[in-house]
Each structure stands twice: as C-alpha cells, then as structure tokens.
Amino acid sequence: MTDKSTSETVSGRTMEDIARMAGVSESTVSRALSGSHLVAEKTRERILEIVQSSGFSINEQARNLALRKTKTIEVIFPIERGTLQHVSDPFFVDMLAVLTDELGKQGYDVLMSRSPPWDDERPGCAFLGARADGVIFVGQGRHRSEIRDFARRHRQVVTWGAALRDDDHCVVGSDNIGGARQATHHMLSLGRQSIAFLGDLSLPEIHQRYEGYREALAAAGKTFDPELVINSPFDIEQARSATSEIANLYPRFDGIFASSDMIAIAAIANLRQSGIRVPDDVSVVGFDDIPSGAHMNPSITTVRQKIRTAGRVLVDQLLRAIAGETPSPQILPAELVVRQSCGAQQTSQN
Amino acid sequence: MTDKSTSETVSGRTMEDIARMAGVSESTVSRALSGSHLVAEKTRERILEIVQSSGFSINEQARNLALRKTKTIEVIFPIERGTLQHVSDPFFVDMLAVLTDELGKQGYDVLMSRSPPWDDERPGCAFLGARADGVIFVGQGRHRSEIRDFARRHRQVVTWGAALRDDDHCVVGSDNIGGARQATHHMLSLGRQSIAFLGDLSLPEIHQRYEGYREALAAAGKTFDPELVINSPFDIEQARSATSEIANLYPRFDGIFASSDMIAIAAIANLRQSGIRVPDDVSVVGFDDIPSGAHMNPSITTVRQKIRTAGRVLVDQLLRAIAGETPSPQILPAELVVRQSCGAQQTSQN
DNA sequence: TGCGGTCTTGCAAGCGCTTGCATTAATTCT
DNA sequence: AGAATTAATGCAAGCGCTTGCAAGACCGCA
C-alpha cells in the first residue's frame, strides 16, 4: 500500500530502507544517528557505513515534526513587495550575516521569506503558516501595525527598529535619536550653520533620527528650515535621483545629515557632480557605518550602529521568548565615527 | 494519551482543535484551508472565521511532510567557518536578494544555512540532512570537490561559479575569462604598460579571471611580472591590508585589475593614501559592478556580472532538476562598464 | 415510494522520524 | 547453576497534516 517511489526527498531513501539493509529496526537506526548510547558500538558502525554508502539524507521535516520543533528562525525584511532592492543596503546585509551567524551558533537555521506573512499572495488564505520557532523582523518598514498584530498573537517575535512607547512586544534598536543628535551637533560645533536632513520620514527608525536632528538644531538655537528636509529612499540609485536637486539649494546649507550611509554616498556624488566640495563646502555625516565607508573618498563620517551587538541581543531575546521567558526591549548606544566627510579633519589629498 | 499542551508551534492550536471548535472533522478543516471545492461554502466560512479568531497557524512542517515536499531551497555560501564576513561583499548579497526574489516568484522559500553540509559540527554525524527540495551553492570557494561530491549524490543541485571541464553537475557562471580579458585589454589599449592583478587565486572563479588577465597580457605581447600578482581576499578590511604594500611597487605598474570591486575600492584607498592618483597615475578596473561603484570618487570601471540573469538561470535550472530533467550549465556574458577609475574618460573634478 | 445522481463529510492510512516501554540477550553475582 | 542486573533491541503510538475512498444527506424523477 505504501508507495515510497515518489518520495521527493533529495535522497530517495528513508530510515526504513536503512533499517532493512542493516537488518535492524527503524528505532535503532534513529538512535544510531542521533548518537544515543542505547546502541551497540558495532551496530552503530554498521549502520553508519550503510548510511554513507547509500547516500541517505535524513528528512529534517519529519524529524522536526516528531521533535516538535524546527530549529529554524524566520528572518523578515519588511520591504515592499516585488523587489528586494532595499535589502541590498549593506546595513541590512550585515545584519543578516550577523543573525545567521549568531543563530547558527545556537543551532538554528535561517529562513528568509520573501514577503511578510500578512501579504500572503494566496487569496482567501487568511491564516499564517508557522514554519519556524520564532521570527525576527529586521526593521519595521511601513508595517508597524501589522508587526504589532503579529507579535500580539505570537510570543516568539522580536524586531529590530525603533522602540516606540506603545509597543507591547520586544523591539531592539539603536539610539537613533541620540545618534542623530550627536551627528548634527558635531557639524554644528564645527561651525556649520545650516544642516539639511535626508531620509524617509515614514519609516519609524528614520523618523527618530529626524527627531534627534531637530533636537540638536533646537539646542543650538538654529531655526529649522523645512525645505532642507528631503525625502530619500534607501536604495542608492533612488537616493541619487531623490537628492539630485539638492545642489540647487546649495548656499542655503553647508551641512547634511544623511539618515544612512548609502544616502550620504548618493548625496556626495550629486554634490560633486555640481562642483560642490565635500567637506570643504558642505559637511556630510551618514548613519550605519557600512564597511566601505571608511575607504571612500572622502571617507564617511557616520553614526555607527553596533550591528554585532544588535544581532546578539536580538537572538538572545528571541531565544528567551522561545524558552517561555519575557524578552526585554533594548536600546543600543550609537556612536559617532569621525572621518573626512564632515570636515573635522583635513582631507589629505586629491 | 495525546498531549498537545507542549506543542511548539507558534500558535499552540492544531487543526484538530479547529475541527472540534467548528464541529467538523480535521479533513474538512484541511480542505477548507487549502481551497478545495469539496467543502460547502457555509462550512468554509465558519471554519475560516474560527481560524482567524483563534490565531491558528498551520504547521508547515507537517503539511510539507504530508505533501512530500518542502517548497524550500537551500542557499549556501561556501565560506570559511566562524564568520560570514565574506558574505558582506555586495555581490553575494545582491545574488542572495535576486535568488530570494526569483525563488519567491516560484513559491519557494530560501533557507540560508550557516555552514556547508559537509562541515557539520555534529561529531560522528556523517549524514546529510535534507530540508529543502534543492540546493544552490553561490560560489565554490575552496570546496570544489565537496560540492562535486554532494552534487553527485543529489541531483537537485546547481552552483554559481567557475564552470570547469571536469564538472559533472550544473554550474552557471559569468564569463570570467572573457571579462577579465576585456578589462585588462581595455587598460592596455589606453596605453597602460604594466598591469597588476589583485585577487585570491585559490578560488576557481578568481583563477579564471587571472587566466583572462594573462591572456590579454600575452595578446598584447607584454611580459608577465609575477610580483604584480597580489593575493587578496574579498573582505574589504582584509583587502585593504593585503594590498597595503602595493604603493611601494608603484612605478612598476600603471594599471590594476582587481578581481572584485571591493578589492578595487581597497586598492584605490591605499593608493590615494600614498598620494598616487587614480586614474591619472594608475588605472583601475574592478569586477562585479556593485551598486555603489557608480557613485564613488572616482567611479569604478568594472566588469558587470549580470546578476539578475544569473539568478534567473540558476533558479530555472534548479527547478528543471527538481522536475527530473537534466539542467544544463551556462556561461553568462560579462560586460565591461567604463567609468572613471580606468582613465578612459577625464575625471571631472576634485 | 424507490433509485440513480450530486454534494458534503468523515474515516483511516500514510508522510518519515522519535521515544517510552516491553522484551530479549548477555553478564554478573551468590 | 539459577537469580538478578544490565545492555541492546524492537514495538507501537504519536507529531500535525493530506487525501482516496466510502458513507450519508438530499435532490429529482419515474
């Protein structure tokens, strides 16, 4: 009655096959493979040998089903549908790398799903699929409420982003406000008079950076010029065109706080194209501290997000949630890294 | 006898619970959820409502077990253990993004596992776990033989990298040789006399680029200077230090072919630090065409890998393999993108 | 009233693996 | 040598879901 011939497992064999070949029961094979001491050494060796030569692969799904766990964490980048452009921001990537790394240490695999669970394409299929032991949202994007909803129904969720007062789930994030305040204050203290802001205010994280920017302005007694706030997406190409007009405003500002390094790079490229020098004419500070920022010309002064720490904290908290404890939200310090683009140091050449 | 209380599913409920609450059988719930026409409309609605309000999540594992498929593809970056640094090369990231995207379109999720299946930490656990319908290796790294082995046992594998003659599985890759030849030839045709090579020759892809470089040199009748071949890893920090001595060799070369854009960036930073101008004194060409390359100063002349096409082809071939057909290896054209760093155009400012 | 459809539903087997408990074989002890 | 341990196996139930097949409900029509 059973028909194994259609098995879709990578290697067509099952434990039953191995058991038969080894002349033992399935249980014994299972135990041999999981390293139980309840198996005679000789038996184990024989089984292992057969496993090897037959190219058997255990079916993790069945295994996990039986074990009632998945040892998998779903990592979601809440980005717009139809494109993963956004993800190519080095910051997100590095975060993914760190998460994969940290989760790996704890024996978890990472499942990247293309779309957030709520905009599932299956029409009329209004239920969520649980394929992981927990979920990490990297950034809230424009989906704060959905994420909140999701988190409310499922304890095993942590998210990276802006911790807001009304969040009832665990959010871990950088001190966006403080970081932005430092950055802006730094340029001001360097004698810059008028600082522009670049970023997408509809994203909570970015809005926090905007707040920090405003705070620094206020603290320095500067009046705020709304026209110097320019909406810009993360993607470098789009950022490039979003900020292409900035040079026209030029003498009105002599500093730029860009809410991500990629945006800073785009802005610098635009300024350069118009013959405006960075940092001589305009001081620029970014946010994130992406790896290549230190090697550019000029090198980018930025607010460093402690991404490694962040990943570790996220994973810690998620594992706590999975273990049934209550994870606690955290705000990680962000630190100003002074390089050339702000003009604090003299640029050396070129 | 059954104890559901310990279920680890994100939402603790099972179909059985829903069935009980709706006063129907499990089968009916299953059918209602999968959109079968074998369920009365009223029944379906009632069930859906209960599903909603109870926050039920279907257990994908069990579902997939029953369906004998996973709808998941494993994407593996064969990098050294203990770090995912390497992955932060924008090229790999973009590839990951494209793959996630393309696979998503076909209804597949992406599983990123930290380590290649062969260096599994579980001691004595010499079997492979099959948790996906197929596997994509992104780059062969130093693991050509392991990958070959792996592919030999399992049909559902494709890899991105250097197609070598003795590969018996499906490898898709850029025309590394041709691309490198073009790049080198371009500098030569610009009048440069002596071109250095930067990259890690132990990686097959890079070795192919090296071959292209040599070919162009030979074709131009240039003698080859082994001291101008400098070993450099992908990671930008490491590349920076690996190429830190390059300036010392300076008047011996007036061109650099870097086997990745990140390495090119590192090299340029080093040259600049020593007061050597790019492209005036030294012409530089990279490889990959990472997104930010166009916005740097100078912008990077490079060999573009058609990453979107690549991802699509990889996915196509893998799906063919999964469908039981024989996937065919392919070499994708790589195209030279001329920008500033090679010196073909005049740099505009700064 | 009775019979052949048409719809809906439930039953039960099965997906490949784990594990508590019972069973049997190998040892040790008195 | 016989009893009591201990070590090594197998049995069978169960993980949560799908699905072929059979059964029940309900319809119209002769």
Side-chain angles (χ1 to χ4, degrees):
Chain A
M1 199 159 292
T2 309
D3 176 7
K4 312 248 156 168
S5 67
T6 59
S7 168
E8 297 283 345
T9 310
V10 171
S11 129
R13 322 195 95 86
T14 75
M15 269 198 185
E16 198 186 323
D17 299 325
I18 304 297
R20 195 175 317 114
M21 296 165 83
V24 296
S25 75
E26 236 177 298
S27 339
T28 302
V29 175
S30 170
R31 288 197 263 257
L33 257 32
S34 66
S36 161
H37 58 280
L38 288 176
V39 180
E41 202 44 50
K42 294 197 60 167
T43 315
R44 180 199 311 288
E45 279 169 18
R46 184 156 37 92
I47 293 178
L48 246 36
E49 212 158 277
I50 296 182
V51 162
Q52 298 275 21
S53 65
S54 66
F56 166 78
S57 314
I58 202 172
N59 181 323
E60 302 267 2
Q61 301 219 90
R63 166 169 226 260
N64 288 333
L65 178 54
L67 291 174
R68 268 164 296 276
K69 62 178 178 49
T70 68
K71 275 296 177 183
T72 296
I73 298 293
E74 190 163 358
V75 174
I76 301 178
F77 293 83
I79 53 178
E80 309 318 309
R81 295 274 331 281
T83 166
L84 272 187
Q85 292 294 6
H86 181 147
V87 169
S88 71
D89 190 302
F91 173 78
F92 288 96
V93 178
D94 284 352
M95 182 62 105
L96 177 60
V98 170
L99 288 175
T100 308
D101 216 17
E102 294 293 325
L103 285 169
K105 279 186 200 159
Q106 311 288 334
Y108 284 88
D109 279 326
V110 170
L111 182 65
M112 273 195 64
S113 43
R114 188 171 70 118
S115 49
W118 49 80
D119 68 26
D120 200 308
E121 56 276 20
R122 289 173 286 192
C125 167
F127 59 96
L128 300 168
R131 42 200 167 185
D133 295 339
V135 176
I136 298 179
F137 287 96
V138 181
Q140 297 150 315
R142 295 173 224 297
H143 302 283
R144 275 184 34 77
S145 60
E146 287 94 335
I147 294 181
R148 283 233 297 286
D149 253 45
F150 187 90
R152 196 166 294 138
R153 315 175 89 102
H154 313 285
R155 281 190 359 275
Q156 297 82 348
V157 176
V158 301
T159 114
W160 169 258
L164 300 174
R165 41 226 131 284
D166 59 337
D167 267 312
D168 41 9
H169 71 290
C170 178
V171 177
V172 175
S174 284
D175 179 8
N176 290 304
I177 302 183
R181 196 193 307 116
Q182 274 181 76
T184 311
H185 172 261
H186 179 69
M187 286 187 277
L188 258 15
S189 72
L190 250 30
R192 305 290 169 159
Q193 298 302 317
S194 177
I195 315 286
F197 178 95
L198 267 41
D200 181 349
L201 293 185
S202 69
L203 302 173
E205 302 87 317
I206 304 306
H207 197 275
Q208 290 193 326
R209 294 176 200 172
Y210 171 72
E211 292 170 31
Y213 156 81
R214 292 290 303 265
E215 286 183 14
L217 248 41
K222 299 283 178 193
T223 57
F224 162 68
D225 179 352
E227 292 200 22
L228 291 181
V229 174
I230 295 170
N231 187 64
S232 166
F234 274 106
D235 176 72
I236 192 161
E237 299 297 344
Q238 295 179 52
R240 183 81 189 253
S241 56
T243 62
S244 64
E245 301 296 306
I246 199 174
N248 301 337
L249 276 56
Y250 170 50
R252 273 175 73 178
F253 66 91
D254 54 1
I256 292 181
F257 171 56
S259 55
S260 93
D261 285 344
M262 287 305 254
I263 297 178
I265 294 172
I268 292 175
N270 277 324
L271 293 175
R272 190 190 312 129
Q273 203 165 36
S274 303
I276 301 172
R277 292 165 305 165
V278 175
D280 314 67
D281 302 324
V282 173
S283 172
V284 177
V285 178
F287 206 105
D288 287 347
D289 191 29
I290 64 173
S292 57
H295 309 285
M296 315 245 305
N297 180 28
S299 56
I300 313 284
T301 293
T302 191
V303 178
R304 171 176 299 161
Q305 303 215 61
K306 305 205 173 171
I307 204 169
R308 188 102 223 163
T309 309
R312 238 190 289 273
V313 170
L314 282 167
V315 170
D316 279 1
Q317 298 305 318
L318 181 56
L319 295 190
R320 289 188 57 188
I322 291 175
E325 300 165 51
T326 307
S328 52
Q330 302 201 18
I331 295 185
L332 275 30
E335 148 200 16
L336 184 69
V337 179
V338 176
R339 290 197 276 252
Q340 298 171 339
S341 68
C342 61
Q345 318 170 337
Q346 221 42 39
T347 46
S348 38
Q349 74 292 318
N350 226 44
Chain B
M1 198 158 292
T2 310
D3 176 7
K4 314 248 158 173
S5 66
T6 58
S7 167
E8 297 283 345
T9 310
V10 172
S11 128
R13 323 196 91 89
T14 77
M15 271 199 183
E16 197 186 325
D17 299 324
I18 304 297
R20 195 175 315 116
M21 295 165 84
V24 297
S25 76
E26 236 178 299
S27 339
T28 303
V29 175
S30 170
R31 287 196 265 258
L33 257 31
S34 66
S36 160
H37 58 281
L38 289 175
V39 180
E41 200 46 48
K42 293 197 59 166
T43 315
R44 180 199 310 288
E45 278 170 19
R46 184 157 37 93
I47 292 178
L48 247 36
E49 213 159 277
I50 296 182
V51 163
Q52 297 275 22
S53 65
S54 66
F56 166 77
S57 312
I58 201 172
N59 181 323
E60 302 268 2
Q61 301 220 87
R63 167 169 227 262
N64 288 334
L65 215 215
L67 291 175
R68 269 164 296 277
K69 64 175 178 51
T70 69
K71 276 297 179 184
T72 295
I73 299 293
E74 189 163 359
V75 175
I76 301 178
F77 293 83
I79 52 175
E80 310 317 311
R81 296 268 339 276
T83 165
L84 271 187
Q85 292 293 7
H86 181 148
V87 168
S88 71
D89 190 301
F91 173 78
F92 288 96
V93 178
D94 285 352
M95 182 61 103
L96 176 61
V98 169
L99 288 176
T100 308
D101 216 16
E102 294 294 324
L103 285 169
K105 278 184 199 159
Q106 310 289 334
Y108 285 88
D109 279 328
V110 171
L111 182 65
M112 273 195 66
S113 42
R114 188 171 72 119
S115 48
W118 49 81
D119 68 26
D120 200 309
E121 56 274 23
R122 288 175 287 193
C125 166
F127 60 97
L128 300 167
R131 43 201 166 184
D133 295 341
V135 175
I136 298 179
F137 287 97
V138 181
Q140 298 150 315
R142 297 174 222 296
H143 301 282
R144 275 183 35 76
S145 60
E146 287 93 335
I147 294 181
R148 283 232 298 285
D149 253 43
F150 186 89
R152 195 165 293 136
R153 316 174 89 102
H154 313 285
R155 280 190 359 277
Q156 297 81 344
V157 175
V158 301
T159 113
W160 169 258
L164 300 174
R165 39 228 134 280
D166 59 336
D167 268 313
D168 42 7
H169 71 289
C170 178
V171 177
V172 175
S174 285
D175 179 8
N176 290 304
I177 302 183
R181 194 193 309 115
Q182 274 182 78
T184 311
H185 173 261
H186 179 70
M187 286 186 278
L188 257 16
S189 72
L190 251 29
R192 305 289 169 159
Q193 297 303 318
S194 177
I195 315 285
F197 178 95
L198 268 40
D200 180 350
L201 293 184
S202 69
L203 302 172
E205 302 87 317
I206 304 305
H207 198 275
Q208 290 193 326
R209 293 176 200 171
Y210 172 71
E211 291 169 31
Y213 157 80
R214 292 289 303 264
E215 286 183 14
L217 247 41
K222 299 284 179 194
T223 56
F224 161 68
D225 179 352
E227 293 201 21
L228 291 181
V229 175
I230 295 170
N231 186 65
S232 166
F234 274 106
D235 176 71
I236 192 161
E237 299 296 347
Q238 296 177 50
R240 182 81 190 251
S241 55
T243 62
S244 64
E245 300 296 304
I246 199 173
N248 301 336
L249 275 57
Y250 170 50
R252 274 175 72 178
F253 66 93
D254 54 1
I256 291 180
F257 171 57
S259 55
S260 93
D261 285 344
M262 287 305 252
I263 297 178
I265 293 173
I268 291 175
N270 277 322
L271 293 176
R272 190 190 309 128
Q273 204 165 35
S274 303
I276 301 172
R277 292 165 307 164
V278 175
D280 313 67
D281 302 323
V282 173
S283 173
V284 177
V285 178
F287 206 105
D288 287 346
D289 191 27
I290 64 173
S292 57
H295 309 286
M296 317 246 304
N297 180 28
S299 56
I300 313 284
T301 293
T302 191
V303 178
R304 173 177 298 161
Q305 304 214 63
K306 305 204 172 170
I307 203 169
R308 188 104 224 161
T309 311
R312 240 191 290 272
V313 170
L314 281 167
V315 170
D316 279 0
Q317 298 304 318
L318 181 57
L319 294 189
R320 289 188 55 190
I322 291 175
E325 300 166 53
T326 308
S328 53
Q330 302 202 16
I331 294 184
L332 276 29
E335 150 199 13
L336 184 69
V337 179
V338 176
R339 290 198 276 251
Q340 298 171 339
S341 67
C342 62
Q345 317 170 338
Q346 222 39 42
T347 46
S348 38
Q349 74 290 321
N350 225 47

